[in-house]
Amino acid sequence: MTDKRCMRILLGVTGGIAAYKSPDLVRRLRERGAEVQVVMTEGARQFVTPLTFQAVSGREVRDSLWDAGAEAAMGHIELARWADVVLVAPATAEFIAKLAQGRADDLLATLCVATASPVSIAPAMNQQMWANPATQSNVATLRGRGITVLGPGSGDQACGETGEGRMLEPAELAASVLDSLSGSRPLAGCRVVVTAGPTRERIDPVRFISNRSSGKMGYAVAQAAREAGAEVVLVSGPVSLPTPAGVTRIDVESARQMHDAVHAALAGADIYIGAAAIADYEPASVAEDKIKKYSDTMTLELIRAPDILASVAALPARPFVVGFAAETRDVEQNARSKLENKRLDMIAANRVGDGIAFDQDENSLLLLWSGGREELATCGKLELARKLVGRIAELRAGTTRAKADNVVRVRR
Ligand code: PMT
């Protein structure tokens, strides 16, 4: 298992006097192990130089949508995906208004619109501006959209007045952002590879062997893992589903292609979840031309397709490996054999058959792991996937702790 990667914070700095505290905020976030990418608005540059932020963050500051060099290194959409959370501190009244309107006329506003990650703002302004009904209405709009509003605090202001509108102190902001990330987003900082859908094994240019998987279960798992804060790569067989927001999707057709795509995506992965219905056998050879019907019967020679799940579990530095088991009978017994034979960390078993699991909107799962089991009753696949991902995060945390304990014991 790889080490958990750092939390990635995209810190937006807008043009208010409280921007002088933002370099300290970068320092506090980094002290707690986060990686910080600073994005400044033009107004922010009037208060603090980009060089200051570059020095404390260790990364070049981004401030323009139109910087071809920076865009070539990490485009704004990539940057929006990179972040586990976007924190705007300080957030001026002007920026809050812009965010409430959903405008995207500079890099920071664009990133706030383009990200699928949570956005937090730390307002900072004169107390009268904060109390203004327009500001209050904008803040309420943002709260209604799920944006977290941190503060503001109350006290003496730079303009000589006293009241609400002070940006919270850097240490307090760093703690609330990072603590909420690790609590409500138990997979923040993790990279998860999920497979979904069927595979197609070519017989000739127009025929293939496949199955009834719609991809709904695997796509729901990918969405739930993303909601839990993970960076998610979804390796998908041919399905007609939209890609969940914030998820990177790689399309494949055959089991071999899926095998290669999974192994390419596994670098740095913490968790692998195999929800795809992958062919166990593939034709020994693929006819170049459409096969003609010369006789009453025909025999198709099949050979074993690569077992992707087993190959992932056999890696020397393997991620936490979760398989699915699709069974028409003896569900628990068959699934436990797969768990043990393939040395998986967990298996999610479902009964399949006529009108069950495959291509349905609902499903139920029996989760099995070494020394444990849990039944997840029938419900929508997304709800089910959220419960599955929650259990995976808990088990993995336990395993990670156990492994860390082992390392400590061995070193002593
Ligand atoms: O896609 P839906 O319509 O939403 O349906 C969901 C589902 C029923 C397909 C899903 O819930 C499910 O059960 N997926 C696994 C299907 C399957 O192939 O099960 P299995 O028992 O045959 O395989 C066991 C495990 O080995 C699976 O994790 C599978 O991905 C993996 N495997 C199988 C064959 C192979 N060549 N390589 C593999 O990695």
Side-chain angles (χ1 to χ4, degrees), residues 20-40:
Y20 83 90
K21 291 183 182 173
S22 302
D24 188 32
L25 174 56
V26 175
R27 228 168 41 82
R28 304 281 178 163
L29 290 165
R30 292 193 74 198
E31 269 168 15
R32 296 184 55 143
E35 223 178 314
V36 184
Q37 170 67 59
V38 176
V39 175
M40 300 177 80

Side-chain angles (χ1 to χ4, degrees), residues 124-128 153 155-166:
M125 66 197 74
N126 163 272
Q127 51 93 18
Q128 205 61 52
D156 293 340
Q157 301 203 306
C159 54
E161 295 178 12
T162 304
E164 257 193 308
R166 279 170 62 98

Side-chain angles (χ1 to χ4, degrees), residues 134-313:
T135 306
Q136 287 304 309
S137 152
N138 289 333
V139 168
T141 302
L142 296 183
R143 281 204 175 101
R145 286 192 205 136
I147 290 180
T148 305
V149 181
L150 302 167
S154 186
D156 293 340
Q157 301 203 306
C159 54
E161 295 178 12
T162 304
E164 257 193 308
R166 279 170 62 98
M167 185 171 91
L168 294 186
E169 291 306 317
E172 200 178 339
L173 285 176
S176 45
V177 168
L178 293 176
D179 293 348
S180 74
L181 256 188
S182 50
S184 67
R185 293 162 61 86
L187 295 185
C190 290
R191 180 177 163 88
V192 178
V193 177
V194 181
T195 65
T199 58
R200 286 179 181 172
E201 309 306 322
R202 278 164 60 112
I203 298 170
D204 69 15
V206 293
R207 302 182 179 99
F208 55 79
I209 302 171
S210 191
N211 60 67
R212 293 182 187 280
S213 170
S214 62
K216 286 177 190 168
M217 191 68 242
Y219 274 57
V221 170
Q223 179 173 337
R226 179 66 193 146
E227 285 172 1
E231 172 191 346
V232 181
V233 179
L234 173 62
V235 182
S236 174
V239 299
S240 46
L241 294 173
T243 309
V247 166
T248 303
R249 168 171 161 183
I250 299 167
D251 288 324
V252 297
E253 205 169 275
S254 66
R256 273 177 201 281
Q257 288 171 357
M258 189 171 273
H259 173 275
D260 293 350
V262 162
H263 281 274
L266 275 179
D270 302 284
I271 300 173
Y272 172 78
I273 308 174
I278 306 162
D280 291 321
Y281 292 92
E282 61 186 3
S285 61
V286 181
E288 255 180 51
D289 295 309
K290 185 174 169 229
I291 299 170
K292 300 281 182 201
K293 46 179 183 298
Y294 293 120
S295 56
D296 288 344
T297 60
M298 82 165 281
T299 304
L300 200 57
E301 193 190 348
L302 299 177
I303 56 171
R304 285 294 295 268
D307 187 325
I308 301 172
L309 187 60
S311 71
V312 174

Side-chain angles (χ1 to χ4, degrees), residues 195 197 212-218 255 272 274-280 305-310 322-327 338 342 347-348 350 352 357-360 363 365 381:
T195 65
R212 293 182 187 280
S213 170
S214 62
K216 286 177 190 168
M217 191 68 242
Y272 172 78
I278 306 162
D280 291 321
D307 187 325
I308 301 172
L309 187 60
V322 181
F324 268 68
E327 308 293 343
K338 284 178 184 166
K342 296 192 187 183
I347 197 153
N350 40 200
V352 297
F358 275 87
D359 200 15
Q360 302 298 310
N363 197 11
L365 290 172
K381 282 182 175 170

Side-chain angles (χ1 to χ4, degrees), residues 329-343:
R329 61 161 68 186
D330 303 327
V331 175
E332 181 153 359
Q333 196 184 324
N334 288 332
R336 201 164 276 285
S337 307
K338 284 178 184 166
L339 175 78
E340 286 161 10
N341 295 342
K342 296 192 187 183
R343 297 180 47 248

